[in-house]
């Protein structure tokens, strides 16, 4: 027996009748499926991610190149390494990671997101393996990757512990994961939730649930409990003067954690 979420089949656990992918929140999948066609519109509902992308791309490139002893300045510095973009959405990170040389697998629980990602990759002439699936399913299959990107997903899952545990299983020994999410502070409530969704209109209302935000300390402890070693915690801030994002020491709202298995 199985349940279907946005057209994706999830086997039922015979012991409890629940979907094996415990981290999946059907409401969150449906939310992003409804706007899946807009992923590549730089002025649409995902405009903030398009603006945010350059700073996180540069960070991933620098950290991965340093970890694997590659020259970050070369054209394809990560050639020969495998990467999983879990919760890939429409492929905004999967495509530039492919251009850096990674053999990329993009996974998302939304069939519609995967359809958008596949179509855009084909238009761009890029070979990316996209799958409508979950971290738990990939882990059960024994899949593993040199790098696992876990960007802006943690705050949308139903069971953070189960999700992070499955993601850690997907990191090869000696590999790294990069986790990006939002801190649970009054500042993030004011800026990332109320400001971004209700005042500035940068994001559709209801995009985020502030109660699901997690502090860097809590996230680091959760990652360490899965067997990872924290390498770096990096803040990311919006600069209103330059109207752009930049790396900073401020982790009050957005931050990224790099960890090694």
């Amino acid at each position: 027996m199985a349940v279907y979420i946005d057209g994706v089949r999830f086997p039922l656990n015979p012991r409890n009748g629940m979907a094996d992918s415990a981290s999946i929140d059907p409401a969150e999948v449906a939310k992003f499926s409804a706007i899946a066609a807009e992923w590549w519109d730089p002025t649409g509902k995902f405009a903030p991610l398009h603006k945010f992308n350059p700073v996180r791309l540069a960070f991933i490139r620098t950290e991965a190149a340093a970890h694997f002893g590659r020259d970050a300045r070369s054209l394809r510095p990560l050639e020969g390494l495998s990467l999983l973009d879990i919760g890939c959405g429409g492929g905004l990170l999967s495509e530039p990671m492919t251009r850096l040389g990674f053999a990329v697998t993009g996974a998302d629980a939304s069939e519609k997101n995967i359809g958008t990602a596949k179509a855009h990759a084909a238009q761009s002439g890029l070979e990316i393996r996209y799958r409508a699936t979950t971290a738990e399913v990939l882990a059960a299959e024994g899949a593993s990757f040199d790098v696992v990107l876990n960007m802006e997903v943690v705050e949308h899952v139903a069971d953070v512990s189960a999700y992070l545990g499955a993601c850690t299983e997907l990191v090869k020994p000696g590999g790294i994961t990069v986790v990006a999410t939002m801190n649970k502070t009054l500042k993030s409530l004011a800026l990332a939730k109320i400001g971004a969704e209700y005042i500035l209109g940068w994001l559709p209302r209801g995009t985020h649930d502030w109660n699901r935000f997690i502090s860097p300390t809590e996230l680091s402890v959760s990652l360490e409990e899965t067997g990872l070693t924290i390498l770096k915690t990096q803040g990311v801030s919006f600069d209103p003067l330059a109207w752009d994002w930049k790396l900073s020491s401020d982790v009050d709202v957005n931050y990224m954690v790099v960890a090694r298995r």
Side-chain angles (χ1 to χ4, degrees), residues 42 44 54 64 72 90 112 127 140 149 152 154 162 178 198 231 254:
K112 291 182 179 178
E127 292 187 12
L149 297 186
E152 289 80 41
V154 172
V178 182
Y198 292 89
L231 300 179
N254 295 83

Side-chain angles (χ1 to χ4, degrees), residues 113-153:
N113 284 347
I114 291 299
T116 296
K118 285 182 176 179
H120 197 274
Q123 293 171 2
S124 302
L126 297 174
E127 292 187 12
I128 301 173
R129 187 188 186 206
Y130 282 118
R131 293 185 59 187
T133 189
T134 67
E136 289 94 335
V137 170
L138 290 171
E141 293 174 355
S144 61
F145 306 85
D146 296 299
V147 177
V148 174
L149 297 186
N150 194 334
M151 312 298 282
E152 289 80 41
V153 181

Side-chain angles (χ1 to χ4, degrees), residues 118-257:
K118 285 182 176 179
H120 197 274
Q123 293 171 2
S124 302
L126 297 174
E127 292 187 12
I128 301 173
R129 187 188 186 206
Y130 282 118
R131 293 185 59 187
T133 189
T134 67
E136 289 94 335
V137 170
L138 290 171
E141 293 174 355
S144 61
F145 306 85
D146 296 299
V147 177
V148 174
L149 297 186
N150 194 334
M151 312 298 282
E152 289 80 41
V153 181
V154 172
E155 65 269 25
H156 298 290
V157 301
D159 187 330
V160 174
S161 295
Y163 174 67
L164 292 178
C167 288
T168 292
E169 291 183 44
L170 295 168
V171 183
K172 290 182 179 180
I176 61 172
T177 185
V178 182
V179 183
T181 189
M182 285 181 281
N183 200 348
K184 191 176 182 181
T185 62
L186 291 178
K187 186 175 178 179
S188 70
L189 176 61
L191 299 180
K193 179 62 182 178
I194 299 173
E197 295 183 20
Y198 292 89
I199 299 176
L200 297 173
W202 286 353
L203 297 168
R205 294 185 177 187
T207 297
H208 293 114
D209 180 351
W210 181 78
N211 293 304
R212 292 190 176 191
F213 291 4
I214 183 171
S215 74
T217 299
E218 291 176 296
L219 179 60
S220 294
V221 169
S222 294
L223 291 172
E224 288 171 340
E225 287 176 346
T226 70
L228 297 178
T229 299
I230 305 302
L231 300 179
K232 177 182 285 190
T233 299
Q234 177 67 61
V236 187
S237 301
F238 184 74
D239 183 351
L241 295 178
W243 206 251
D244 209 352
W245 292 90
K246 64 179 182 180
L247 299 180
S248 75
S249 59
D250 184 356
V251 298
D252 287 347
V253 183
N254 295 83
Y255 67 94
M256 296 181 282
V257 174

Side-chain angles (χ1 to χ4, degrees), residues 63-72 77-78 81:
E63 293 302 315
H67 182 76
F68 292 103
R70 305 296 182 87
D71 181 1
L78 290 316
L81 297 173

